[in-house]
Amino acid sequence: MARSRSPPCSTPSISATISRLPSPPGNRRTRCGNSPSRTSFDPNRYEHCFIPTLVDTGAEKILFDTGFGDADSSLLQCLQDLGLGPADIDLVVITHGHPDHIGGLVHNGEAVFSRARYVFGAAEFVFWTEADTVREARLSNRDLFLRVCAGLADRATFVAPGDEVVPGITAIDAAGHSPGLLAFHVESDGQQLLIWSDAFLHSVVSIQRPEWHADLDDEKEQAVETRKRLLKMAADHRLLVAGYHMPFPGLGHIEQVDGTFRWLPATS
């Protein structure tokens, strides 16, 4: 499917305002393995969304991830639709260092979010800037990370699972898809949101068959364990979930049924 016009921005109602800021769905292929047959999704039938999240706590506007930052990105337009510009963002949280999450940080060598502070996972930052274990398929990704993110280190805080980003927003270990991937638990006035980023790449395959491997996951068995743990957490606590690659607007709940789980899109 060719990239299509983005759906409108979505703003669910909880005490801290949460806005979903979509980039257009694309035709990037994801291959899934360790299943009865190894299959590539048909790019003419598989819609793959990229949906950053904006949390407005009332005191700060916090953006989770930035999309590719390419000509098709609708992130800045969505912010404009909310009456915001890049300079209104106080904090940018990067869940992990893949191109569809960091690409919108810098444009023409300048930071897009000129006033913002940044949050990176400490393990993720070290992986891309210091480790010698980046697999060949990710070498260009490492170059991008060094070019885009390394220069922001002096304005950044580095967090580990269990750390608070701000009061009410806590980092959760979600490693596997990337070695230092972080999810985030948001709580406000007793209401809860789980931002699971790329722990799940597809609303059916990743959730109903969490044990299946995806080529895009760097640590495949660790990714399986992460999916199982986050699915149980979301189902047991009836959390609202924001999924970066879930069908627009990427908000839903997890239901346990017939020995597995399924994605239930949020209806309001």
Side-chain angles (χ1 to χ4, degrees), residues 231-232 235-236 254-262:
L231 285 170
K232 186 176 188 305
D236 287 353
I254 295 299
E255 180 182 51
Q256 190 162 10
V257 58
D258 296 332
T260 186
F261 299 89
R262 66 176 178 178

Side-chain angles (χ1 to χ4, degrees), residues 84-153:
L84 302 173
D88 292 311
I89 301 303
D90 298 294
L91 186 63
V92 178
V93 179
I94 297 300
T95 61
H96 64 300
H98 290 172
D100 53 323
H101 298 259
I102 65 172
L105 283 170
V106 171
H107 181 69
N108 291 334
E110 299 292 332
V112 171
F113 304 98
S114 57
R115 289 184 49 258
R117 309 180 323 276
Y118 300 89
V119 170
F120 294 95
E124 184 78 354
F125 199 90
V126 167
F127 172 74
W128 292 112
T129 57
E130 299 180 22
D132 59 3
T133 55
V134 178
R135 59 185 172 126
E136 184 174 357
R138 294 285 191 197
L139 292 179
S140 62
N141 189 160
R142 181 181 65 186
D143 293 342
L144 176 67
F145 191 93
L146 292 171
R147 188 167 66 251
V148 168
C149 299
L152 301 174

Side-chain angles (χ1 to χ4, degrees), residues 55-224:
V55 175
D56 185 347
T57 68
E60 292 186 293
K61 295 176 177 63
I62 304 171
L63 178 65
F64 290 80
D65 295 322
T66 66
F68 282 104
D70 56 11
D72 285 337
S73 175
S74 59
L75 174 60
L76 298 184
Q77 180 61 53
C78 277
L79 288 174
Q80 185 175 324
D81 291 346
L82 294 170
L84 302 173
D88 292 311
I89 301 303
D90 298 294
L91 186 63
V92 178
V93 179
I94 297 300
T95 61
H96 64 300
H98 290 172
D100 53 323
H101 298 259
I102 65 172
L105 283 170
V106 171
H107 181 69
N108 291 334
E110 299 292 332
V112 171
F113 304 98
S114 57
R115 289 184 49 258
R117 309 180 323 276
Y118 300 89
V119 170
F120 294 95
E124 184 78 354
F125 199 90
V126 167
F127 172 74
W128 292 112
T129 57
E130 299 180 22
D132 59 3
T133 55
V134 178
R135 59 185 172 126
E136 184 174 357
R138 294 285 191 197
L139 292 179
S140 62
N141 189 160
R142 181 181 65 186
D143 293 342
L144 176 67
F145 191 93
L146 292 171
R147 188 167 66 251
V148 168
C149 299
L152 301 174
D154 61 346
R155 297 164 59 182
T157 300
F158 301 93
V159 299
D163 290 346
E164 272 198 330
V165 174
V166 298
I169 301 180
T170 304
I172 298 172
D173 178 17
H177 175 67
S178 187
L181 175 65
L182 292 174
F184 292 88
H185 179 266
V186 181
E187 184 166 8
S188 178
D189 290 343
Q191 298 173 306
Q192 300 178 76
L193 172 74
L194 173 63
I195 301 173
W196 70 24
S197 184
D198 280 16
F200 300 83
L201 299 174
H202 190 268
S203 61
V204 177
V205 175
S206 301
I207 292 170
Q208 294 189 17
R209 294 292 182 266
E211 72 279 6
W212 286 7
H213 289 176
D215 281 355
L216 291 175
D217 290 339
D218 285 333
E219 303 291 342
K220 292 175 175 51
E221 287 302 327
Q222 190 175 22
V224 168

